[in-house]
Amino acid sequence: MPPTVVKSRPAHRCTECGFAATRWMGRCPECQAWGSLSEVGGTASGGLRAVVPGPVTGRARPIGQVELDGSRAVPTGIDEFDRVLGGGLVPGAVLLVAGEPGVGKSTLLLEVAHRVAESNGPTLVVSGEESTAQVRLRAERIGALHPQLFLAAETELSAVLSHIEEVNPSLLVLDSVQTVRSPAVDGTDGGATQVRAVASALTGIAKSRGMTVILVGHVTKDGAIAGPRALEHLVDVVISFDGERHSTLRMVRATKNRFGPADEIGCFEIGDGGVVGVPDPSHLFVSKRASPVAGSCVTVTMEGSRPLLAEVQSLVAQNAGGGSPRRAVSGLDPQRLAMINAVVERRGGVPLGNSDVFAASVGGVRIVEPAADMAIALAIASAAKDKALPVGMVAFGEVGLSGEVRRVGGIGRRLAEAARQGYTLAVVPPDPGPVPRGLRVVEIPDLGSVLNRLF
């Protein structure tokens, strides 16, 4: 029998996104770039190669014998940031911080680098968007000058690696990963191939040296992190920095965290002195007024393990201009509001068919959890009937299409926060459990009963 001949097929790879194909195409089907596919060699027919055992980096040991001393989280000294991280920065971890331009990412991370330099040795901030003089001006403004805080302005990965060898930092902040390019790979600056190569190289160095790396990332018009999706899989922690452009409130959320909870939130307020943590942000989301106003209801939302008081306001006006009634929202889910409008009208007996309904949250906070359904429904009914709700009342609970009020998670912590803030009446789903002292609880099985009782 003649020997089997294994034929090799040419492979082509896109220099922009890394897409691989067995034949050349004029346009990459993945990133839609023209003329980006180039031949990079061949693979055996069927894609099979013989793999033999090779050297290992370390011997496999029982999980109970693995040391943890070098992987404990080190607090940064910024309580709200440590809360999101799950206790602090873990040596060897890689973090990705993304947010819109001007939201305060660079200012917050410069303060983090300053705190780490004070407590844990040298830190290195590499900026690919600003000069060192510009970063120094920001550091003077927020009081972040320290002899162990080093600055560099580089856009080449090789230069960044040289700075790491020279400074030997415990923390590296790269602002931003889209501005640094690797000469070892092809692709445009800031493209998917370059971003992946830079992040992979810095991740390997972070793991080998036990150095924490914080990568600043850009976002697209839709608010998603720019670059390949593999970037989020590669890093250990993904943090989003949110905030309205016309508000001083900033929210830091962890959407991925390998070392702690991935649903925590940190609240900050930005001002002339930089970004300052707000340990008790409930007062930012509730209006202060001398007398009650129709169309307003306070609820208690859960952001991770933190209960926050938030106020929902509504305005119902007759549609005098004709046409379809308007439904406008700010800080709430439009689809959820449309459903609650229908339930209030059908199950609660409140006519809204010929009225314009406007609903918004106070303070720029975005409320998306179903626990706020009860507060939204009561605010709409209060505005439609032009009758204010009782003073010192909070309400929470999920409202179903049949009008029933369902239980939500964290009822005990919600009630405790309401009592701590001085509220005396809570409208909640049935069977709430223990009730804090000084708080009267009204259990409501359905929306119709609570509307009849209040109005």
Side-chain angles (χ1 to χ4, degrees), residues 83-84 252-254 261-266 301-308 369 409-410 413-414:
R83 181 190 187 98
V84 176
V252 177
R253 305 174 187 268
D263 56 357
E264 287 292 350
I265 183 175
T301 64
M302 290 294 296
E303 296 289 351
S305 61
R306 165 182 283 182
L308 295 177
E369 68 164 341
R413 280 178 289 180
R414 298 175 196 264

Side-chain angles (χ1 to χ4, degrees), residues 180-196:
V180 178
R181 70 182 312 275
S182 172
V185 297
D186 297 327
T188 58
D189 294 354
T193 305
Q194 285 288 342
V195 171
R196 188 186 299 110

